[in-house]
Amino acid sequence: MINKTVKDANEAVRDIPSGAFLMMGGFGLSGIPENCIAALLQRDIRDLTIVSNNAGVDDFGIGLLLQKRMVKKMISSYVGENAEFERQLLSGELEVDLIPQGTLAERVRAGGAGIPAFFTPAGVGTEVAEGKEIREFDGKLYLMERWLRSEFSLIKAWKGDTAGNLIFKGTARNFNPMMAAAGKITIAEVEELVPAGELDPNQIHTPGIYVQRIFEGKNYEKRIEQRTVRS
Amino acid sequence: MLTKQQIALRIAKEVKNGQYINLGIGIPTLVANYIPDDLEIVLQSENGLLGIGPFPTEEQIDPDLINAGKQTITMVKGSVLFNSAESFAMIRGGHVHLTILGAMEVSENGDIANWKIPGKMVKGMGGAMDLVASAENIIVAMQHCSKSGESKLLKSCSLPITGIRCVKKIVTDLAVLEVDPEGGFILKERAPGVSVEEIKSKTEGKLILNGEIPEMEF
């Protein structure tokens, strides 16, 4: 079996250049590649374009990359909860493409699956449809959306093996599987890395064919955005 | 005038046995508290879960288990987890029966605006555009008027819209209304103690009155 293991996050992100087009898994702060983000912060690179459903919070997740002005453009569906993001956006330092969440997920899925475009009803009649091809199918209007593919996808799984096979936990799965497939180089960080053969093939969510580098991450903080308990 | 809890309570009466339901953030989330125990329904969370359970106890908190509002949650028995593409496939594919969401404005032809205030709030639409473009039944939960007293039920939306001709029913603090496919808000029920005249004066769009308008029952 092909061994995809790299030593750590620093080695995994060593060759990501300035201006790179990246994808990062996660919904809010759940399922984000914490170790890779920390390693990127050590690199002297900028002008990154990042596809990620959200943009972290001021002092965690992608918010840390924003603070260091490493990001040129975000492609996201919802970017609230981040004051620094808002400031950079309003001052024109940061570009942002806001995309309906299902369209974003499908554009990434399409990228990994070799489908260059597709039609969706989401956004018909809204400013999202401006400049896009509209077609009627069976009496309903749809707009055309293009695929998304990345130079590097940074994703986070619960368990993985040395062949790059991945298993996710809870709602931390979210965008990670599609981003794995849509990356030219996909870097997976996992909480537990095991030798190939130890994961049950029936239980694997993301096949290792999509993963080029894998390592066991350290010190996961897994910060909670909205800690809500039963009263 | 209804409280937010009463709006949620009234909307809960719209829920039918066997439905898969997506609840938006705010008042819609409260609806879950009022769904009768004898109904078997499943709540969808668009970040990848069918089967949202109650909020966790301190001991049950799991950072890998959140809802679309990023709140910690639990799962009910029989839950299933999936990725975001699968989640929106079930939404766009029409498998989610009922979507309940908040709005800033609704127009008399069923357009909804709830994602952007130019120059003020530009946080993004999240999953709202996919949901409103696809759900077969959309109920809006909102206040009848804005904080400054402006009607939110309009001839046409003034804010950037989220979806066109999609809202079927609206429950506000004053009334239950249905959107007429020909255009107009059909007044179905009044909040206790609220007159037809008051609702009329606070509805900018066309209000359609058919006979006696009953008070809501809870």
Side-chain angles (χ1 to χ4, degrees), chain B residues 34-109:
Chain B
Y34 301 107
I35 296 173
D37 288 339
D38 56 339
L39 293 188
E40 302 209 355
I41 56 105
V42 178
L43 299 177
Q44 201 245 18
S45 193
E46 63 259 31
N47 54 321
L49 168 65
L50 279 171
I52 305 174
F55 291 128
T57 61
E58 279 292 342
E59 295 70 42
Q60 288 174 321
I61 282 183
D62 178 354
D64 293 325
L65 201 57
I66 60 171
N67 63 17
K70 285 109 178 174
Q71 295 170 310
T72 44
I73 51 167
T74 59
M75 293 187 282
V76 298
K77 280 183 182 156
S79 286
V80 57
L81 296 154
F82 37 85
N83 68 50
S84 300
E86 177 98 50
S87 177
F88 283 93
M90 61 183 73
I91 288 168
R92 278 191 311 267
H95 307 283
V96 175
H97 303 113
L98 176 62
T99 291
I100 302 168
L101 74 180
M104 298 189 248
E105 295 176 349
V106 176
S107 79
E108 63 186 33
N109 64 0

Side-chain angles (χ1 to χ4, degrees), chain A residues 79 101 127 171 222 228 230, chain B residues 55-56 64 72 116 123 126:
Chain A
V79 293
Q101 192 176 143
E127 62 182 58
T171 51
K222 295 199 185 182
T228 315
R230 214 176 297 178
Chain B
F55 291 128
D64 293 325
T72 44
K116 181 177 180 182
K123 292 181 172 182

